[in-house]
Amino acid sequence: MNHEALAREMRELREQVPGITDTAVAAADGMLIAADTADMIDPESLAAIAAAGLGIARRATAVTGRGAFRQTVTYGSQGLAAFYAVGDTALMIVLGDEGIDLERLHEQTRPALGRIGSILTGTGPDPLAGTPAEPGPPAAAPDALVGAVTDTATEGV
């Protein structure tokens, strides 16, 4: 997995959509893959809660005959949390403030999800090299991934 490309996708989404405050990518089982979050947010807990919600949302779309789960949004008094499926094995969490433009968020997130899915699976073109991705060494332990992406994603902030 290309950690720099993943961090760049998360960072670019924040730059494209004013109001995004935090982002994270997690495996469908709740294991944190990458986070670009404020210190007050525990990214591991966020990933676990998001995965639990993903399971419920997937079940709800199946039971109601609405097809495959794509996204859900939860609103709070100080903003929103959007949860997006990244294929069948991962999800992206986007937190936003009260002024976020939800339509712009969805519009900008759709292509990013495809690129993130390719980064996670190592398929398709390597976004940094512009050439097809080559199989690399086994993925690092989840804690190493979080540190690598968090450090990269917060540089210059």
Side-chain angles (χ1 to χ4, degrees):
M1 175 175 31
N2 186 326
H3 305 294
E4 290 178 39
L6 184 56
R8 187 179 72 221
E9 285 296 334
M10 295 167 69
R11 192 173 44 250
E12 285 179 2
L13 186 61
R14 284 180 87 158
E15 292 169 358
Q16 293 170 349
V17 183
I20 291 178
T21 59
D22 308 272
T23 58
V25 176
D29 66 0
M31 182 69 73
L32 182 65
I33 297 171
D36 181 11
T37 58
D39 291 339
M40 63 186 252
I41 294 175
D42 176 11
E44 287 85 10
S45 293
L46 178 62
I49 291 167
L54 174 69
I56 293 168
R58 281 187 170 158
R59 185 70 182 133
T61 56
V63 166
T64 59
R66 301 297 179 234
F69 169 78
R70 290 192 303 190
Q71 68 194 31
T72 188
V73 179
T74 302
Y75 295 91
S77 62
Q78 297 179 12
L80 61 81
F83 306 92
Y84 298 92
V86 181
D88 291 331
T89 60
L91 67 144
M92 180 161 190
I93 305 128
V94 179
L95 305 181
D97 62 24
E98 299 137 347
I100 194 168
D101 180 341
L102 186 60
E103 289 305 314
R104 181 169 174 83
L105 173 63
H106 292 328
E107 178 184 292
Q108 295 299 317
T109 301
R110 283 184 201 107
L113 293 172
R115 292 188 301 268
I116 289 169
S118 292
I119 292 166
L120 294 176
T121 61
T123 61
D126 182 336
L128 289 180
T131 59
E134 295 181 24
D143 288 341
L145 296 179
V146 173
V149 173
T150 301
D151 292 343
T152 303
T154 57
E155 284 181 11
V157 177

